[in-house]
Amino acid sequence: MLDTSVVVEALLPSEPGHVACVAFLRRLTASGCLVVFNRLLQVELHETLFNVALKERHGKRWASARYDGRVRRRAGRLLEAGAGAWSELLDSLAWSSIDLSEVVEDVPKLMRSYDAPTMPCTPPVWGRLGSAIWPRSTTASPRCHKHV
Amino acid sequence: MARMGAVTSKVDRQRSSRAGSVTAGGTRNGRGTDSARESLRTRIHAPRIADVDERIANIERATKRIKTDVQVDFVRTRRGRR
């Protein structure tokens, strides 16, 4: 199971885990093992790239500048590059994706039984697929450590 | 509408009465089933590039496409810290 954090760190050269995540993807490619991801990964990747454009222009005030139209041109270029990079990654991997509609009905129940998991962690996906998808991969996240 | 609701309720009752209620993708206790694994296998996309070296070169190329100095610290942002 591939987490968004691994893809973000691999695609953005300024991220602290960039080298490790690129090496990890290289190993995945060489081993030919199956990568499973949640479709939310793509949405999160797009959101992150848009935030990059905001941070480039507004620095620490980026969160309050969300609707500044001046960032859209740069954001568009980043989104285009990101979509191309993601497509190239998929060309090199054996992959399968899980759509939100497949797991969404189980989310309320699982959110009660797990320790307030975040949606990107998608324990419902793990639960449904069970041992078919082990091992999964993610960068460190205190909120998610119980599920890793 | 009332009739449709009644039919749905009946289906729900039947589902819940089954021991170890099974979803389309796996059991409620969180363990995958053979059918879930089979379903996953049918949706596997093989790598478009056959040659392993070329695939690795493709990964290298993909991870160099975006040029920025900005750090987003994705994990921290996901936790809500900005």
Side-chain angles (χ1 to χ4, degrees), chain A residues 14-15 26 56 95 106 128, chain B residues 25 28 30 45 60 68 70 72:
Chain A
S14 47
E15 291 299 299
R26 264 201 310 263
E56 282 179 348
W95 61 273
D106 287 342
R128 285 207 167 190
Chain B
R28 294 281 182 192
H45 299 256
E60 297 288 348
T68 183
V70 163
V72 289

Side-chain angles (χ1 to χ4, degrees), chain A residues 5 138-142 144, chain B residues 75-76 79:
Chain A
S5 58
T138 178
T139 53
S141 170
C144 307
Chain B
V75 175
R76 279 186 60 176
R79 292 205 308 267

Side-chain angles (χ1 to χ4, degrees), chain A residues 3-22:
Chain A
D3 185 71
T4 312
S5 58
V6 175
V7 178
V8 167
E9 301 244 352
L11 295 187
L12 297 181
S14 47
E15 291 299 299
H18 175 71
V19 174
C21 288
V22 172

